[in-house]
Amino acid sequence: MNTEKNSYIFIYSTIMVLVIAAALTVVALQLKPAQENNIRIEKMQNILQSVKIPSTPKDAETIYKEKITETFVINTQGNIVEGKNAFDINLADELKKENDAERLFPVFVCSPNKNDTVKYFIVQLRGKGLWGPIWGYMSFNADLNTVYGCMFDHKGETPGLGAEINTAVFQSQFVGKKIFDENNKFVSIATVKGGTKDDDPHGVDAISGGTITSKGLEAMIYDCLKAYELYLTNNKK
Amino acid sequence: MAQVKNSKLLANPLNLQNPVTVQVLGICSALAVTVQMKPAFVMGLSVTIVTAFSSLIISALRNTIPNRIRIIVQLVVVAALVIIVDQLLKAFLYDVSKQLSVFVGLIITNCILMGRLEAFAMGNKPFPSFIDGIGNGLGYSIILLSIAFVRELLGSGSIWGFKIIPPVFYQLGYENNGLMILPPMAVILIGIIIWIQRSWKKELIEK
Amino acid sequence: MKFLRNTLDKIKPHVQKGGKFQKFRSTFDAFETFLYVPDHVTKSGSHIRDGIDLKRAMSVVVIALMPALLFGMWNVGYQHFLAIGQTAGFCELFWYGFLQVLPIIIVSYVVGLGVEFIFAQIRGHEVNEGFLVSGMLIPMIMPVDTPLWMVAVATIFAVIIGKEVFGGTGMNIFNPALLARAFIFFAYPSKISGDFVWVSGLSDSTTKVVDGFSGATPMGLAGQGQFDKIPDFWTMFIGNIPGSIGETSKIAILIGAAILIISGIGSFRIMLSTILGGSAMIYIFNLFAANPYMEISPLVQLSMGGFLFGAVFMATDPVSASQTSTGKIIYGFLIGMIAMLIRVLNPAYPEGMMLAILMMNMFAPLIDYYVVEANIKRRLKRAKLSSIKS
């Protein structure tokens, strides 16, 4: 058979494209649920990490369902928005909205023990580091002022310097810090170059040599918590 | 082409015909995914599978492929296999696929693949082509794993994700080498591997 | 002296080809030529050669480095005692700094020469004396608190990857000393950036530091936006500021520059054009003045960080710099401009001199190529014109 005829080439390529397109469609459809599940589980693990509950990809979903008892969505006026699922809020998209008032922010409530009423409130953060996006979750005690725990991660900060933000050593500094001062004014938590004074409730040590990432982290915490500010002031005890 | 023994097809790419250190193909992914051993292993495995099966398919079809569009046909087959591998990784090895990010997709542009398809699979029977694909994939994997071994050991102090440098070292002032995590060090390491290989196999030295 | 000569002559037959210890020929050679003028003569044709050989040239550079090194030692002590809030006499300050700096110098020389000797033995060529200068430069561009093992690793890296793979002294593309610094800069960033590494003893948490003392270098302060805290020009010119060991005193560096220029070993073209290039870039920044960093005046900007040290001792390295006169001017000018560009515009790298020089090292042969090509073209044109006239 002459394989160089135009008609042959035409038919050959048509069949090839059809067969491969069909095969890929089947594969993609079959695997889609598993892939989406992976992304969900990673998010659940991150949220759990901010309230210091360890989890593995296998048990994350069960733990999450057990510990995260309540979720809701708020707007920048501090009101709860009905009909939205907090877990499905994509913070990156929300922050891109031009009008502040339209932005929505998720809140997750964690009750670690069934028996008592201890509750932690988890908020989501997202901002810019030196080389790319940084993000994280921060959890507060029921007073909505004292930090209970946090997790940060980054896409590609400088190894050994900015990249230190995702280490436990750095994150543990935030525990016990307060975001409101004595007069109930919102002050956020700053990263302090050269180390903080021991009793400073609003500052943590910046990463030496990772100035830009530290500043980016500080801005991220300030900007995102600012959006939560009204909600936090209205509901704090 | 003269008949070459199947065992030779498998063994040659590991050393004397190594796709990375001798033919200097597939360098870009060797730089990008060798920070740790696990992603490097998965990458090597993916490339081996894609090379082997695309060689098999192309070799089986070689008499029906119109010469004028053969490169396109090869590309489509490779691309389809790469997409399947990528999707599988995302579904079952999510953390590794996150580290590999676009580099699985970029297997399509890996020169080793097109090179083997053009140079071997188009002119040989399916089974030898399959073996040749596996051999070249393994040759690539070996280099990736040796680079990743050094980079992970010195850069992160671990092997396969397990910390193996004892904490005492760090207390004494030892620090992980940050340069190992950056891509330039991978180029230097490939260079050193080529250097070692050529001082060992003198016949590889170009005149 | 006679005794030395006699001993060497006695050993010589054993290490020459066919002798018992011919393996050590290169080692012997290195010592002999270091001590005495070599007896080699040119074998083919006649050449006009200078009486100065590589070793003598290197020795002059090392002498030129001395003022900066001695000042650096004193400054190490001065900064340390300033930090802990004690006063000490001149000798005590110098002695303290001397004890801090000496180990780094020893490590750099022992390791670097060790690697050179090993390679020379394996390859059977002479030991090259190129490391004499590199070995002195490496300690001078390190923060004083750099751990010694890091200096050793960086030196090994610089000599093997920077020099031996290219074929040894005279063949290297990059300046080996800068390569050693770049290695530490990227491999152990926390030991070469931040506010604690520049003053001896500050990175040790047990040291009690006086309130209000900051170990930040002027570059570090500028990088953090604390422009009001940058020392004034004269302080930085004299050099009692934190910084790498040899880079702080601009006076000492200028004395070194004078020695290099008078002896004809360092190219004044490169030094001058580097400074001009840097100033040109600062003036451009001053014109835009988009942020406080861009508004810093040229004199202050030039006396900050390692710019001057790099311009005088690093950029002029005859091996990695451009060879042609015009090429040298272009090469230096671009180094100056790029260094300022990185310094002011890239927040990730507080000082751009190292990266600028390494980058232009890479382009030096290209610049030379085009300078030579342009020359050939111009002469061809002239030749044609004159032939038409006649």
Side-chain angles (χ1 to χ4, degrees):
Chain A
M1 191 167 59
N2 180 8
T3 57
E4 295 303 315
K5 261 196 326 204
N6 281 348
S7 57
Y8 177 84
I9 293 178
F10 189 72
I11 295 168
Y12 190 93
S13 38
T14 314
I15 294 175
M16 178 182 72
V17 168
L18 285 179
V19 168
I20 287 180
L24 288 183
T25 316
V26 172
V27 171
L29 282 178
Q30 290 291 318
L31 297 176
K32 191 141 203 210
Q35 293 169 2
E36 283 175 350
N37 199 32
N38 284 329
I39 296 170
R40 278 184 50 230
I41 284 181
E42 195 199 10
K43 191 167 178 180
M44 288 175 180
Q45 281 191 284
N46 284 343
I47 294 174
L48 287 173
Q49 198 194 329
S50 74
V51 276
K52 298 185 232 171
I53 300 174
S55 60
T56 63
K58 277 195 188 113
D59 59 15
E61 183 138 28
T62 10
I63 299 182
Y64 180 85
K65 282 197 174 130
E66 190 188 319
K67 307 283 186 189
I68 306 293
T69 45
E70 200 187 334
T71 64
F72 47 85
V73 177
I74 59 154
N75 57 20
T76 42
Q77 289 83 46
N79 303 319
I80 292 177
V81 180
E82 298 296 333
K84 297 271 183 190
N85 185 350
F87 195 81
D88 296 336
I89 296 281
N90 184 339
L91 201 58
D93 292 345
E94 296 297 327
L95 292 175
K96 272 186 212 137
K97 287 184 186 167
E98 284 192 13
N99 188 350
D100 275 11
E102 281 174 17
R103 293 182 185 166
L104 299 174
F105 293 87
V107 177
F108 307 89
V109 183
C110 170
S111 317
N113 302 309
K114 271 184 191 156
N115 308 327
D116 57 30
T117 55
V118 174
K119 274 187 183 175
Y120 302 117
F121 292 80
I122 304 163
V123 300
Q124 198 176 351
L125 313 165
R126 193 175 172 87
K128 273 203 231 58
L130 170 59
W131 303 111
I134 51 177
W135 59 87
Y137 293 90
M138 191 174 261
S139 63
F140 294 96
N141 290 336
D143 65 355
L144 290 180
N145 184 6
T146 316
V147 177
Y148 175 69
C150 63
M151 71 80 52
F152 305 116
D153 211 345
H154 62 92
K155 192 162 180 205
E157 297 306 298
T158 324
L161 298 177
E164 296 291 298
I165 60 165
N166 69 4
T167 57
V169 181
F170 179 74
Q171 290 167 12
S172 63
Q173 289 189 82
F174 285 85
V175 176
K177 302 287 175 188
K178 292 184 165 45
I179 57 165
F180 292 98
D181 66 8
E182 297 86 9
N183 308 322
N184 275 334
K185 210 174 142 272
F186 174 67
V187 286
S188 185
I189 298 170
T191 56
V192 183
K193 191 91 194 172
T196 51
K197 308 236 163 54
D198 294 335
D199 49 352
D200 183 359
H202 308 297
V204 295
D205 297 352
I207 299 157
S208 188
T211 314
I212 309 285
T213 310
S214 302
K215 287 280 162 216
L217 188 87
E218 184 181 309
M220 165 178 93
I221 296 174
Y222 184 87
D223 291 345
C224 291
L225 290 183
K226 189 82 188 158
Y228 284 100
E229 185 191 354
L230 283 172
Y231 173 81
L232 297 173
T233 18
N234 293 345
N235 292 280
K236 67 194 279 218
K237 287 160 202 165
Chain B
M1 191 187 280
Q3 242 3 76
V4 189
K5 269 196 188 147
N6 284 343
S7 58
K8 276 268 179 214
L9 286 179
L10 202 59
N12 263 346
L14 295 187
N15 190 1
L16 291 178
Q17 281 298 322
N18 191 290
V20 183
T21 60
V22 179
Q23 296 167 4
V24 198
L25 299 174
I27 297 289
C28 64
S29 55
L31 309 186
V33 300
T34 49
V35 175
Q36 285 166 343
M37 291 206 57
K38 205 167 158 194
F41 176 77
V42 174
M43 184 71 181
L45 193 69
S46 309
V47 170
T48 310
I49 290 171
V50 174
T51 322
F53 282 95
S54 60
S55 288
L56 182 70
I57 295 171
I58 291 296
S59 171
L61 295 175
R62 69 185 189 282
N63 293 325
T64 71
I65 299 174
N67 199 34
R68 276 192 278 162
I69 58 164
R70 66 176 202 287
I71 300 283
I72 300 172
V73 174
Q74 290 165 10
L75 261 180
V76 170
V77 170
V78 171
L81 284 169
V82 167
I83 293 171
I84 292 173
V85 167
D86 190 28
Q87 297 286 324
L88 284 169
L89 287 179
K90 273 192 189 140
F92 301 113
L93 280 169
Y94 182 65
D95 54 331
V96 177
S97 89
K98 248 195 334 181
Q99 282 169 303
L100 291 176
S101 67
V102 295
F103 289 98
V104 174
L106 285 178
I107 296 178
I108 300 168
T109 59
N110 194 319
C111 317
I112 299 172
L113 277 160
M114 297 299 289
R116 288 336 286 170
L117 293 181
E118 269 291 279
F120 198 87
M122 285 300 283
N124 284 283
K125 290 211 173 90
F127 187 67
S129 303
F130 185 70
I131 298 289
D132 177 73
I134 291 187
N136 277 281
L138 288 179
Y140 172 82
S141 310
I142 280 192
I143 300 301
L144 243 65
L145 282 174
S146 9
I147 299 170
F149 176 81
V150 178
R151 287 183 77 188
E152 190 177 349
L153 179 66
L154 299 178
S156 316
S158 58
I159 294 293
W160 204 270
F162 296 106
K163 294 271 168 214
I164 63 156
I165 291 186
V168 184
F169 275 50
Y170 292 100
Q171 279 159 22
L172 290 175
Y174 176 79
E175 266 190 52
N176 288 328
N177 188 325
L179 191 58
M180 285 288 172
I181 297 173
L182 303 172
M185 203 59 200
V187 190
I188 293 171
L189 285 174
I190 291 181
I192 293 176
I193 290 179
I194 293 178
W195 185 8
I196 294 172
Q197 194 189 17
R198 285 178 197 211
S199 353
W200 172 39
K201 299 273 179 196
K202 300 272 187 222
E203 67 264 35
L204 287 176
I205 300 172
E206 292 96 346
K207 295 272 149 54
Chain C
M1 285 314 258
K2 199 92 193 196
F3 166 73
L4 212 58
R5 183 72 258 175
N6 287 342
T7 328
L8 283 174
D9 284 340
K10 235 183 252 167
I11 304 172
K12 208 166 186 177
H14 295 292
V15 293
Q16 263 160 355
K17 265 211 175 112
K20 234 194 232 165
F21 300 105
Q22 58 164 332
K23 270 196 172 163
F24 294 103
R25 190 168 60 105
S26 56
T27 314
F28 174 80
D29 228 40
F31 281 115
E32 193 194 12
T33 48
F34 185 75
L35 295 167
Y36 293 94
V37 176
D39 55 356
H40 313 299
V41 283
T42 355
K43 290 187 181 99
S44 62
S46 60
H47 301 258
I48 298 171
R49 285 182 61 161
D50 203 334
I52 194 163
D53 78 329
L54 199 55
K55 275 189 185 111
R56 305 289 169 265
M58 295 281 178
S59 309
V60 174
V61 181
V62 172
I63 291 168
L65 280 167
M66 280 306 131
L69 180 70
L70 293 176
F71 183 90
M73 286 176 173
W74 173 81
N75 190 40
V76 166
Y78 175 77
Q79 294 295 334
H80 174 76
F81 283 100
L82 200 65
I84 59 171
Q86 290 172 13
T87 45
F90 175 82
C91 290
E92 202 180 338
L93 292 180
F94 183 81
W95 183 243
Y96 178 85
F98 179 73
L99 288 183
Q100 295 297 317
V101 177
L102 191 66
I104 307 181
I105 299 178
I106 293 174
V107 165
S108 153
Y109 269 117
V110 168
V111 172
L113 288 175
V115 175
E116 288 246 0
F117 272 77
I118 291 169
F119 267 87
Q121 296 299 348
I122 293 175
R123 297 192 170 165
H125 60 55
E126 288 171 42
V127 175
N128 283 310
E129 41 288 272
F131 196 74
L132 277 183
V133 170
S134 303
M136 188 51 84
L137 281 173
I138 289 173
M140 292 181 70
I141 51 177
M142 298 284 173
V144 62
D145 260 7
T146 316
L148 292 178
W149 70 270
M150 284 182 190
V151 178
V153 174
T155 310
I156 294 174
F157 179 86
V159 176
I160 295 183
I161 303 296
K163 240 162 83 172
E164 292 303 336
V165 293
F166 293 109
T169 304
M171 313 291 233
N172 46 309
I173 298 175
F174 300 111
N175 183 327
L178 270 184
L179 217 55
R181 190 177 203 273
F183 180 84
I184 295 197
F185 186 81
F186 288 106
Y188 309 107
S190 61
K191 292 288 176 215
I192 202 160
S193 43
D195 296 346
F196 302 111
V197 296
W198 309 103
V199 176
S200 166
L202 216 58
S203 50
D204 183 1
S205 54
T206 53
T207 315
K208 282 211 178 76
V209 178
V210 193
D211 269 356
F213 179 85
S214 155
T217 60
M219 301 297 323
L221 291 169
Q224 292 161 29
Q226 297 172 317
F227 297 100
D228 49 325
K229 284 191 191 157
I230 296 175
D232 62 291
F233 167 72
W234 282 109
T235 318
M236 290 197 288
F237 190 71
I238 294 165
N240 45 356
I241 48 170
S244 299
I245 295 168
E247 73 174 14
T248 56
S249 171
K250 310 301 160 325
I251 296 180
I253 295 170
L254 288 178
I255 296 173
I259 298 176
L260 286 184
I261 293 173
I262 291 167
S263 63
I265 283 174
S267 158
F268 72 95
R269 280 195 182 84
I270 295 179
M271 294 182 203
L272 210 64
S273 60
T274 306
I275 291 167
L276 281 178
S279 319
M281 202 67 220
I282 302 168
Y283 276 117
I284 294 174
F285 282 139
N286 282 173
L287 275 182
F288 285 97
N291 61 34
Y293 210 154
M294 290 188 179
E295 289 166 7
I296 297 178
S297 72
L299 266 184
V300 175
Q301 186 73 277
L302 285 178
S303 57
M304 278 160 67
F307 185 86
L308 202 62
F309 189 85
V312 171
F313 295 110
M314 297 297 199
T316 52
D317 171 16
V319 179
S320 54
S322 281
Q323 309 289 324
T324 51
S325 298
T326 324
K328 280 176 180 167
I329 292 169
I330 301 171
Y331 166 86
F333 199 80
L334 285 173
I335 288 182
M337 288 189 85
I338 295 168
M340 285 302 156
L341 206 64
I342 298 174
R343 182 190 274 193
V344 176
L345 295 185
N346 189 335
Y349 306 118
E351 172 60 300
M353 199 55 186
M354 171 182 85
L355 299 168
I357 297 176
L358 285 175
M359 187 169 142
M360 289 317 295
N361 279 171
M362 209 157 58
F363 285 106
L366 190 73
I367 296 172
D368 280 343
Y369 174 81
Y370 279 108
V371 168
V372 172
E373 286 291 297
N375 232 342
I376 293 173
K377 263 188 205 149
R378 202 170 51 239
R379 290 191 177 192
L380 269 181
K381 224 174 175 179
R382 202 156 56 202
K384 272 180 202 152
L385 278 177
S386 54
S387 63
I388 292 166
K389 268 182 203 158
S390 61

